[in-house]
Amino acid sequence: MIDVVAGSDIREASGDVAVAPVFQDMVWGPGATDLVEVMGDWVESYLRDQDFNGKVGQIAILPGGDALPYGRVMFVGIGKEIDAEGLRRVSGIAGTTTTKFDQVVTTLHQIGIDDAAELVTVGFLLGQYRFNKYQSEADLVKTSRLVLAGWNGEVGSVAAGQAIASSVYLARDLVNEPAVAKPPVVLAEKAEEIARSHGLTIQVYDECEIEAEGFGGLKGVSLGADNPPRMVVLRYEPDGATRKVAFVGKGIVFDSGGLSIKPASGMENMKTDMSGAAAVFGALQAVAKLGLSVNVIGVTPLTENMSGGSAVRPGDVLRARNGKTMEVLNTDAEGRLVLADGLSLAAEEDPDLIIDVATLTGAAVVALGPKIAGLFTADDDVSDTVLAAAGRAGEQIWRLPLESGYRQFIDSDVADLRNASTERYGGAITAALFLSEFVGDRPWAHLDIAGPARANKAEHYLAKGGTGFAVRTLIEIARAYSS
Ligand code: BES
Ligand code: ZN
Ligand code: ZN
């Protein structure tokens, strides 16, 4: 990942491109005034000719000229006024359009909002993210340095921004990786590497231990796959921390649907069905890098959902870690089966808060579309905490009802629960109700990220593909619980 450093004033710094903000109707933002003063009056009319007037997200790239120490000058429109997420987004646009330049210098952090340096760092770095390891003629990111011109260390922490961005990179890389390259064993090794390099403790349950420890949901879902499952538990336990939060992530490395097989169209996107687990890995890495004062435990049940000769069948009954039995009606509703074990395990730790993150239902995408995650919790305080954290993180989350009147739709004739609702509609709610059976009386919230875990097209700081959604919200939740 590229370096982000403080530099001298925009007039004295030097680099391959200078990036400065312009408010709507061509009101020069910080740094732009200085650049235009040196460049000359032609700039304004030139920009107007290019239909640039400072509307949010507009960009214009001009030659720097002899008088400036930059080969290029890039103006970014930031609209009439800008908030924290707006700054992240325009910084993302700056990042995504400057990957060809080695040294990028900016004044975006001088915009006059709290934590601007962190926001610019996160947005810029995320905007530069590319997943191109399998492309022989990839457009490589050439940027080695982002210089925050005239930054005196007073408008937020670049180091925090880098920690957050690198954790989102980690999650995106794991999500974008083809399923063939990330069987549960490989993801568990990756978690071991994260643990080693960040001082986390880790426990990995292999297939025998999964069976012996009563993780019957995970075991059941794994039956149709040749790749063995793993249950990974990461722990961040700094000295002096008093509170404990547990993050649980759905880790289906590929969801074929199992015997209730999915249609061929779009099945390739089901390599992203481990986005919840990836978010938990990213969050655990970040809380360690940030050195937060809170105990964080990450639980990720990892398996593939396949339809091999030993696959779990409709009608089969599985017993979860907490003893509850689950009738499998649809093998494609596998996420709740593995999360049953993950949540049970998390609840045994008596945390102050449990958050699970899962690409759980198509119904959540129907309800909220591709950009917004669904939040389910019975606890208004937990809801406030999660929504506030998501707001600070710039991730869109909307609360949906955990309607107890729908609980009857997951009553089974033969077991404690059925994994698919008897009702056609409300599938995100019945899935959440199912999960609620495994958290005991612990404060808990469920995030259904089936929509926002993946972007269908590039936009501001998002590249097409895995987004790393929820990493930043989980970090903000941990920050809120940090003493
Ligand atoms: N992984 C899917 C949910 C999903 C759908 C994620 C679209 C991302 C995009 C999940 O395992 C699934 O297949 N759920 C079923 C449940 C149903 C069979 C009760 C669904 O939502 O259709
Ligand atoms: Zn499924
Ligand atoms: Zn799934």
Side-chain angles (χ1 to χ4, degrees):
M1 170 133 36
I2 72 167
D3 224 18
V4 184
V5 298
S8 38
D9 189 86
I10 190 79
R11 285 166 179 264
E12 283 122 46
S14 68
D16 298 294
V17 61
V19 181
V22 180
F23 290 98
Q24 188 137 337
D25 303 324
M26 212 73 98
V27 177
W28 306 122
T33 321
D34 308 78
L35 293 167
V36 173
E37 215 172 280
V38 177
M39 293 167 82
D41 289 340
W42 63 274
V43 171
E44 180 158 351
S45 50
Y46 178 88
L47 289 176
R48 285 193 197 283
D49 279 353
Q50 307 284 307
D51 288 328
F52 180 99
N53 73 346
K55 254 203 222 113
V56 68
Q58 283 185 333
I59 51 168
I61 302 183
L62 283 65
D66 294 338
L68 278 175
Y70 306 103
R72 296 278 188 280
V73 170
M74 181 172 134
F75 294 103
V76 192
I78 58 171
K80 279 207 165 60
E81 51 188 345
I82 191 163
D83 61 5
E85 174 63 2
L87 182 56
R88 264 193 219 97
R89 290 184 180 193
V90 296
S91 303
I93 292 166
T96 203
T97 48
T98 54
T99 56
K100 302 281 176 298
F101 299 99
D102 177 34
Q103 309 268 333
V104 182
V105 181
T106 190
T107 52
L108 275 166
H109 58 288
Q110 295 178 17
I111 208 73
I113 64 180
D114 288 349
D115 299 322
E118 178 181 316
L119 298 168
V120 172
T121 302
V122 169
F124 186 89
L125 293 178
L126 292 187
Q128 288 219 327
Y129 175 85
R130 300 287 183 273
F131 184 77
N132 49 23
K133 64 187 275 198
Y134 292 106
Q135 289 174 322
S136 35
E137 279 167 54
D139 280 339
L140 296 178
V141 174
K142 300 210 179 70
T143 310
S144 67
R145 213 150 75 120
L146 172 66
V147 179
L148 303 185
W151 177 49
N152 52 16
E154 276 168 14
V155 289
S157 162
V158 160
Q162 286 174 307
I164 293 166
S166 68
S167 301
V168 176
Y169 271 48
L170 165 70
R172 288 184 182 179
D173 278 345
L174 294 175
V175 171
N176 288 329
E177 194 65 46
V180 68
K182 59 178 177 191
V185 170
V186 169
L187 281 189
E189 278 163 11
K190 184 73 196 173
E192 271 162 1
E193 195 183 305
I194 296 165
R196 232 186 346 266
S197 47
H198 294 87
L200 308 171
T201 54
I202 182 166
Q203 195 175 356
V204 177
Y205 298 81
D206 67 16
E207 63 273 31
C208 301
E209 292 160 329
I210 284 168
E211 169 122 51
E213 290 291 328
F215 300 126
L218 178 55
K219 167 87 191 166
V221 173
S222 76
L223 290 173
D226 289 341
N227 289 316
R230 290 290 181 268
M231 175 73 89
V232 174
V233 181
L234 285 164
R235 282 193 170 80
Y236 170 67
E237 291 168 324
D239 289 343
T242 50
R243 295 202 278 182
K244 172 158 38 167
V245 297
F247 298 147
V248 182
K250 171 178 173 180
I252 302 297
V253 300
F254 187 75
D255 184 8
S256 72
L259 286 172
S260 316
I261 195 166
K262 285 182 181 295
S265 163
M267 201 198 272
E268 67 278 8
N269 292 332
M270 283 302 129
K271 71 174 183 178
T272 67
D273 210 23
M274 36 59 74
S275 295
V280 170
F281 289 167
L284 265 288
Q285 174 178 288
V287 297
K289 273 184 191 273
L290 293 168
L292 301 186
S293 184
V294 54
N295 297 304
V296 183
I297 156 167
V299 179
T300 57
L302 307 172
T303 182
E304 204 167 3
N305 187 22
M306 300 291 272
S307 54
S310 308
V312 70
R313 312 153 187 85
D316 286 354
V317 174
L318 307 173
R319 185 182 299 275
R321 167 86 170 184
N322 75 346
K324 292 198 186 182
T325 55
M326 312 177 286
E327 185 188 5
V328 179
L329 273 298
N330 189 318
T331 64
D332 196 13
E334 82 298 337
R336 64 200 76 184
L337 301 173
V338 307
L339 288 169
D341 291 328
L343 288 167
S344 301
L345 187 62
E348 289 168 23
E349 302 273 327
D350 283 339
D352 299 294
L353 178 64
I354 303 174
I355 308 281
D356 78 75
V357 185
T359 47
L360 202 62
T361 67
V365 192
V366 173
L368 297 170
K371 297 188 187 189
I372 307 173
L375 163 66
F376 296 87
T377 178
D379 185 323
D380 292 346
D381 292 333
V382 170
S383 172
D384 290 347
T385 298
V386 175
L387 292 175
R392 289 193 301 278
E395 295 187 312
Q396 287 178 274
I397 294 179
W398 194 261
R399 190 178 183 184
L400 295 173
L402 198 57
E403 172 54 53
S404 58
Y406 292 178
R407 173 60 182 75
Q408 57 182 298
F409 303 151
I410 49 170
D411 281 342
S412 164
D413 297 335
V414 299
D416 297 328
L417 292 158
R418 48 184 284 148
N419 80 329
S421 174
T422 52
E423 202 63 28
R424 180 176 168 126
Y425 296 112
I429 298 174
T430 44
L433 285 167
F434 186 100
L435 299 182
S436 73
E437 299 280 324
F438 300 92
V439 294
D441 58 357
R442 309 314 303 175
W444 159 77
H446 157 59
L447 292 176
D448 193 330
I449 63 165
R454 216 184 144 273
N456 285 317
K457 62 175 178 59
E459 191 182 19
H460 49 84
Y461 54 69
L462 299 178
K464 186 175 176 182
T467 57
F469 191 93
V471 172
R472 292 182 290 135
T473 294
L474 294 181
I475 294 170
E476 292 302 328
I477 291 169
R479 275 176 160 174
Y481 274 69
S482 179
S483 48

